[in-house]
Structures are given as structure tokens and as C-alpha cells.
Amino acid sequence: MQFLKLPRLLMPHMRRIHHSLQPMPSQTTYKFDSIDDAVAIFHRMVEMHPLPSIVEFTKILGMIAKMRYYATAINLYTQMECKGVVPFTVTFNILINCFCHMGRLDLAFSIMGKILKWGCRPNVVTFTTLMKGLCVNDKMVDALYIYDEMVAKGIRFDDVLYGTLINGLCKSKTVKPRGAIQLLQKMEGQLVRPNLVMYNTIVHGLCKDGRINEARVLCSKMIVQGIFPDIFTYSSLIYGLCRAGQRKEVTSLLNVYCVNNKVDEARELFNVMIESGEQHDVINYNILMNGYCLNNDVDEAKNLFHMMIKRGEQPDIITYTILMHGYCLSDKVDEARRLFHVMIERGLVPDVWCYNVLIKGYCKINRVDEAMNLLEDMFLKNLVPNIITYNSVVDGLCKSGGIMDAWKLVDEMYYCGQPPPDVTTYNILLESLCRIEHVDEAIALFKRLIFERSFAPNVWSYNILISGCCKNRRLDEAMNLFNLMCFKNLVPDIVTYNLLLDALCNGQQLDKAIALLKYQILEQGISPNMQTYNILINGLHKGGRPKTAQKMAQHLFIRGYHPDVYNQ
DNA sequence: AAACGGGAGT
């Protein structure tokens, strides 16, 4: 826990911020066409006599860091220091930021020592930058610890620091928006008031997590405080509602239909936004259009497309991609292709994502030849296909019976490496073998890949093989695979368990299925889903145990499996 | 002078 030394190091300097020793301001501004230009100017400056002021060097370092050439910035700094240029706090802040983005928190924190050694004083930005470094490197626990320490010492923070922490909390895998809301509550005793940016960050985080109702509650709280939603707030909520609507579930327990009516709510909100004179932009349209597309309502998406043009909003490449995707989802690939050409006629240049959507669309309707043509087209246009492009094609080839061709392509990827195959690529191959009931081949391939190509199977890989075994009534082998994956520290997911439960039910081993649910699934805190439910209830009914089925239904209901909770 | 906080798609 080397980071925890920080507060003691920083605190004496946080109370007052010194300006007296700062270099004089300068009016020079720089503009570079490329990183090479920036480096060239920097090199020239280092050779000048007398040396330019540190401010000039710092400006260029800052720009290089903005261009994300972190290692370059650090390298140039070292050269500069060797030439005898004396750095100041801003220079160090830039270095800290660079190290943080490179994932080198240790070096970032070591700059603190350097700052003191040079007789400089860390300022609020130094501290915020380090906090951000902890956040983006998923060290939220350390960040919060330092925050608490400093609050306890009576040090005040500005709104940017709170914004940084809240953003970090929302994005972290472990803490999530809940922690951000708690931080918001902690702010109540402080001088800094929550502002629109902080609320928007949390609202967005909640919406992304599918917690649309909590997002709405937070919005009302914010309005009560006199902070009113803006275009960011609306777009997050619209996005959240569209996502919430994606889940269509029917439960056999209560026969409740959770129809996806949330897109309509998203539309209502969208209309409110427009009618209230709030500004709107392409992104808002894109989000709502995507919502319609994912709900198989590409027609309504198209209507919006026309509406946005009528209202003077220029569709961008993402608008077209979303619409094309919508058409592909309902197998209208030709329509998507037509749109593709319209887009090009209107002067937009298709990117890799655009091609990926079309390629995947053609593969899905078994027109792999068209997909291959598009792949050729990409090369002609100097677009570099990515792993998603290749995986779509590999999948398409497998599904249209060209497993040998798929293999050839994967080998090319493996030996030429641009990009090399990933887990998904191999999973596609394994799945295609299982689909045509060649489970033995699949398992042999699986072993060979691990041995020869250092293939690191994931949960999905095992699920594919387990599914293959189960379909062929090879329950023992499925169980072996299950044990193997546990042995390799892979955590089986609900899909794995559903496969096993289904196999157990089909093999008349109902008691084992119930034991699996009781002692493994629930015990490990894995939430059963819709399918788990159907498998067990149907299995018990078929096995002539309606009473147990009834009890099971109640049990799962009590365990929190019911439509409302499930849809959260 | 300069470093730190918020939105979309395979």
C-alpha cells in the first residue's frame, strides 16, 4: 500500500497554494500537425541559447500528453531536465498524468518526491490528477481511503475533484454508481455543492447499469435542488429507457408479460426535451433510433431519421451505422446495403464499424460471398479489418458449411497475425463443430489449441463444449468439463448451470438438479434467470412432481426472482 | 500558462 503515504506528503502543501514562485506567463501558442512536428520543435528548443522559458517547454509537453503520446512526453522531459531546464509544478502535473495513463501509478507517485526535491509545491491539480490516476487504474479503494483521510484532516476539495471521484466510482467495476451516490451524500456537510456534471455522471452510470428507476429518482432530487436536466441528462435517460426496454421476458410463474414498452417512454422523454426547447443534437437522435432498432422497429427509426433531417440535424456516420444495423437485425440486408451507398453519396466515409455491420448482416443470411466481397472492398479502401470483422466472417463461413474455409482463414490470422485470432474466434470454431454434432472433434480441437496455440479458454468456451456434450446425452463428460473449468479457476455462469440443470432434468435426475440449484447456484450468489426457472419447473412437471414444482416456483420467487426485480 | 469532471453504435 505504497500509495497511502501520499496524504502525509501532500497535506502540508494543500492548505495554501503558492503562486509567488511560479514562472511568468507567456502569450506564445503552438500548433502542430503531427507528433513529429511537436517533437522536432521540442528538440530545437532544447538546443537554443539561451534556453526558452520552462513555460514554453511545459506547453508543448502538455500538448503531447493531450495527443496521448505519454511515453514521448516523459522521454522529452528527461532530455529537457538534462539540459538544465528547471521544471515547475505544472510540468510535474503533466508527468503525473502521463504515468497514470500508462498504468504506472508507482512512477506517478514517485513524482511527488521529485516535486519536493525541486522545491516546488504540489497543488490541487496535482492531487486531482493522482486521484484520477487511481480511478482509471481501478484503485477506487485507495482513492476513497485517501479522500477520507484528507477530509478528516479538514482539507477542502473543489468540484473538479468531486467530479473526478464520482466519475471513477461510476466506472469502477466493483463500486458502481451506488458508491457515487454515497459520496454525493457525504458532500452535504462540505462547501462544494453537487453540480449538474456530478449528477449527470451518476445518472449516466445508473442508466448504463440498467437502473433506470434509480436514475429517475436522482433526477427528481436534482430538480428539487434547482439543478435542471440538460442535453446530457436527457440523452442518458433516453439511453437508459431504451436499454431497459430491450429485455422481453415472459415468466411461467405468474404468466406476467413484461412487454418492452420502455422505448415509448424514451420517445415521450425525447418529445418533452424537444418541446421544452432544450437543445438537441445528433447523439440524441442516434440513441433513440438505436432504441427502436434494437426493438425491431426499424421503421420508426427511419421516421426519426427523416425527422432529424427536416429539423436541420445532419445524420453522421453513426446514424447510418445504427440504421443499417437495424435493417440487418430484421434480415433486410439489401436495404442496409442501399443505405450504405446513400451514405457514401452524401459524402460520408464508411469506417470499419460500418463494414462490420454489413458483413455480419450478410453472414447471418448466409450470403458469405457478399461478406467476402465487402472484406475485399475494405482492403481496397485501406481500411484495416479488426477482430470483429474476421470473427463475423469466420462465423459466416462456418454456418454456411465452409468450415474448411473458416479454418484456412483462422490459420492465416494465426500465422500472419493481423489481427491474430482471439478466444471468440476459436469459440466460433468449437461451436460450429458442436452444432454439426462433432463433439469429439471439438474436444480434440480444444485440447490441441490449448497445447499448440496457448489458447486460453474462457467460460464461454466451456459452455460451448458442455452444451455439445449435453445435447448428445453425454452428461458425464459435461460434468468432467464443468469440474475442469472450476479447477482452472473459471467461474461458471448461469448459462453453464442452465445447461447442466437441463441435462439433469432430461436425464431424470431431478434430485441432483435441485441439489445443484440449492448448494451451488444459490450458494454462490448466482441469480437464476428466466431459463433456469423454465428448465426446473418444466422438468419437475414432466417428472411428475407438480408439488415440488410449485414449491420451487415459490422458492425462486422468494429468492428475488420475479419479473420486476429481474427487469431491474 | 497549464494540469483535473459528464452522452451514442457491431
Side-chain angles (χ1 to χ4, degrees):
Chain A
M1 283 298 213
Q2 51 178 316
F3 306 133
L4 304 183
K5 288 181 193 150
L6 174 77
R8 254 153 297 160
L9 208 59
L10 262 181
M11 275 174 312
H13 311 286
M14 290 295 291
R15 292 174 199 275
R16 47 214 163 105
I17 299 165
H18 287 254
H19 294 289
S20 51
L21 297 174
Q22 307 283 306
M24 291 295 290
S26 94
Q27 297 300 313
T28 329
T29 51
Y30 298 89
K31 200 180 175 303
F32 309 115
D33 291 328
S34 72
I35 176 69
D36 296 333
D37 285 356
V39 173
I41 290 181
F42 201 93
H43 278 143
R44 228 178 305 140
M45 283 167 59
V46 167
E47 298 303 331
M48 283 182 183
H49 295 285
L51 285 162
S53 114
I54 178 61
V55 172
E56 307 308 323
F57 284 107
T58 304
K59 276 188 202 165
I60 297 176
L61 283 181
M63 292 175 79
I64 292 173
K66 268 241 153 73
M67 291 158 88
R68 299 168 150 264
Y69 288 94
Y70 305 119
T72 310
I74 286 157
N75 188 4
L76 290 175
Y77 168 80
T78 314
Q79 293 177 29
M80 182 193 100
E81 201 190 281
C82 288
K83 291 284 175 180
V85 182
V86 178
F88 74 120
T89 304
V90 177
T91 326
F92 291 120
N93 290 348
I94 294 171
L95 294 184
I96 290 175
N97 193 27
C98 287
F99 280 130
C100 287
H101 280 285
M102 291 163 74
R104 292 304 304 265
L105 284 175
D106 50 340
L107 295 176
F109 276 84
S110 74
I111 297 289
M112 286 303 304
K114 234 172 140 63
I115 292 180
L116 300 179
K117 219 160 58 195
W118 279 93
C120 296
R121 304 190 181 275
N123 61 20
V124 183
V125 178
T126 317
F127 188 66
T128 310
T129 311
L130 282 171
M131 282 295 217
K132 170 142 197 233
L134 289 169
C135 292
V136 300
N137 287 287
D138 211 29
K139 299 251 187 275
M140 274 326 292
V141 179
D142 297 65
L144 286 178
Y145 180 81
I146 294 174
Y147 165 82
D148 283 336
E149 284 274 287
M150 298 192 77
V151 168
K153 303 272 180 198
I155 288 161
R156 290 187 193 131
F157 301 105
D158 65 357
D159 49 351
V160 178
L161 186 118
Y162 275 103
T164 308
L165 275 181
I166 287 172
N167 189 33
L169 287 168
C170 286
K171 297 223 167 98
S172 85
K173 294 176 193 95
T174 45
V175 192
K176 295 269 175 182
R178 284 264 159 81
I181 294 173
Q182 283 166 10
L183 184 62
L184 215 55
Q185 284 157 359
K186 275 193 199 172
M187 285 177 71
E188 274 168 19
Q190 308 282 324
L191 273 182
V192 180
R193 310 278 312 154
N195 62 23
L196 185 56
V197 173
M198 296 172 200
Y199 276 112
N200 279 350
T201 308
I202 304 178
V203 167
H204 177 239
L206 288 169
C207 289
K208 234 186 168 131
D209 272 10
R211 305 177 174 281
I212 183 65
N213 289 333
E214 287 168 66
R216 285 199 268 214
V217 168
L218 198 65
C219 277
S220 2
K221 273 191 192 157
M222 133 188 160
I223 293 171
V224 168
Q225 292 185 27
I227 300 170
F228 295 100
D230 68 351
I231 189 165
F232 287 91
T233 331
Y234 279 113
S235 61
S236 294
L237 287 173
I238 292 168
Y239 174 74
L241 286 164
C242 288
R243 264 183 58 104
Q246 264 172 264
R247 277 170 253 177
K248 267 192 246 181
E249 303 288 349
V250 183
T251 76
S252 56
L253 168 63
L254 302 168
N255 276 332
V256 172
Y257 288 71
C258 301
V259 187
N260 51 329
N261 50 12
K262 291 269 169 68
V263 174
D264 298 328
E265 285 182 52
R267 182 54 176 267
E268 268 175 49
L269 197 62
F270 181 85
N271 291 339
V272 167
M273 175 184 75
I274 288 188
E275 280 155 24
S276 68
E278 184 59 52
Q279 58 174 137
H280 51 92
D281 65 3
V282 188
I283 293 179
N284 280 292
Y285 282 96
N286 286 353
I287 293 170
L288 187 57
M289 279 173 65
N290 194 44
Y292 280 121
C293 286
L294 295 180
N295 277 290
N296 290 320
D297 195 353
V298 65
D299 292 330
E300 194 50 44
K302 195 67 190 284
N303 289 340
L304 263 172
F305 178 79
H306 292 306
M307 177 177 155
M308 75 186 280
I309 294 172
K310 220 190 267 171
R311 285 171 169 266
E313 222 55 85
Q314 253 338 301
D316 64 6
I317 184 152
I318 297 173
T319 319
Y320 282 98
T321 310
I322 288 169
L323 215 46
M324 282 165 53
H325 182 224
Y327 280 119
C328 288
L329 281 178
S330 33
D331 291 344
K332 294 174 181 163
V333 187
D334 290 322
E335 195 60 30
R337 184 65 177 267
R338 208 182 54 73
L339 207 59
F340 179 75
H341 293 298
V342 170
M343 181 186 86
I344 293 171
E345 275 166 32
R346 294 198 182 161
L348 292 169
V349 183
D351 61 3
V352 177
W353 261 334
C354 254
Y355 275 97
N356 285 354
V357 166
L358 273 184
I359 287 176
K360 197 170 179 187
Y362 277 123
C363 289
K364 192 179 154 214
I365 59 167
N366 275 321
R367 281 164 64 182
V368 194
D369 47 332
E370 285 288 352
M372 294 304 264
N373 288 340
L374 282 169
L375 190 62
E376 280 298 309
D377 200 30
M378 287 178 80
F379 288 119
L380 288 177
K381 290 187 177 159
N382 278 327
L383 280 173
V384 183
N386 60 21
I387 189 68
I388 296 171
T389 325
Y390 282 110
N391 285 348
S392 303
V393 174
V394 170
D395 196 35
L397 286 169
C398 287
K399 284 190 177 132
S400 60
I403 289 197
M404 289 317 287
D405 291 327
W407 252 116
K408 247 171 76 185
L409 183 58
V410 174
D411 270 346
E412 260 175 57
M413 290 165 74
Y414 180 71
Y415 290 110
C416 304
Q418 281 285 334
D422 67 358
V423 191
T424 309
T425 322
Y426 290 123
N427 285 346
I428 290 167
L429 291 176
L430 293 172
E431 194 177 23
S432 79
L433 285 173
C434 287
R435 195 168 34 230
I436 54 171
E437 314 245 304
H438 293 190
V439 185
D440 290 313
E441 265 180 67
I443 292 174
L445 174 65
F446 178 80
K447 287 180 182 160
R448 215 170 64 230
L449 287 174
I450 294 174
F451 190 66
E452 290 171 9
R453 297 197 178 178
S454 57
F455 165 57
N458 57 16
V459 175
W460 202 2
S461 321
Y462 280 95
N463 287 351
I464 289 166
L465 294 183
I466 289 174
S467 157
C469 290
C470 291
K471 275 194 201 124
N472 286 279
R473 305 206 162 256
R474 291 155 67 163
L475 185 50
D476 290 341
E477 279 168 89
M479 276 314 214
N480 286 342
L481 283 162
F482 174 77
N483 290 330
L484 183 62
M485 76 188 281
C486 295
F487 179 72
K488 295 211 171 166
N489 280 329
L490 286 170
V491 183
D493 61 9
I494 190 63
V495 177
T496 323
Y497 285 116
N498 285 346
L499 288 167
L500 294 179
L501 287 174
D502 194 37
L504 288 169
C505 288
N506 287 333
Q508 315 293 328
Q509 306 193 43
L510 290 172
D511 291 315
K512 277 194 185 169
I514 294 169
L516 189 67
L517 177 78
K518 260 194 193 159
Y519 301 113
Q520 296 219 30
I521 304 178
L522 298 179
E523 199 65 23
Q524 292 182 30
I526 294 171
S527 321
N529 66 10
M530 193 45 219
Q531 240 180 325
T532 323
Y533 199 86
N534 286 338
I535 290 166
L536 284 170
I537 306 298
N538 289 336
L540 288 166
H541 272 293
K542 268 193 214 152
R545 292 165 65 173
K547 274 196 175 159
T548 321
Q550 180 70 29
K551 261 167 78 183
M552 173 70 72
Q554 284 166 0
H555 182 69
L556 284 174
F557 189 82
I558 293 162
R559 292 293 299 217
Y561 177 70
H562 54 91
D564 281 334
V565 171
Y566 188 64
N567 269 325
Q568 268 303 303

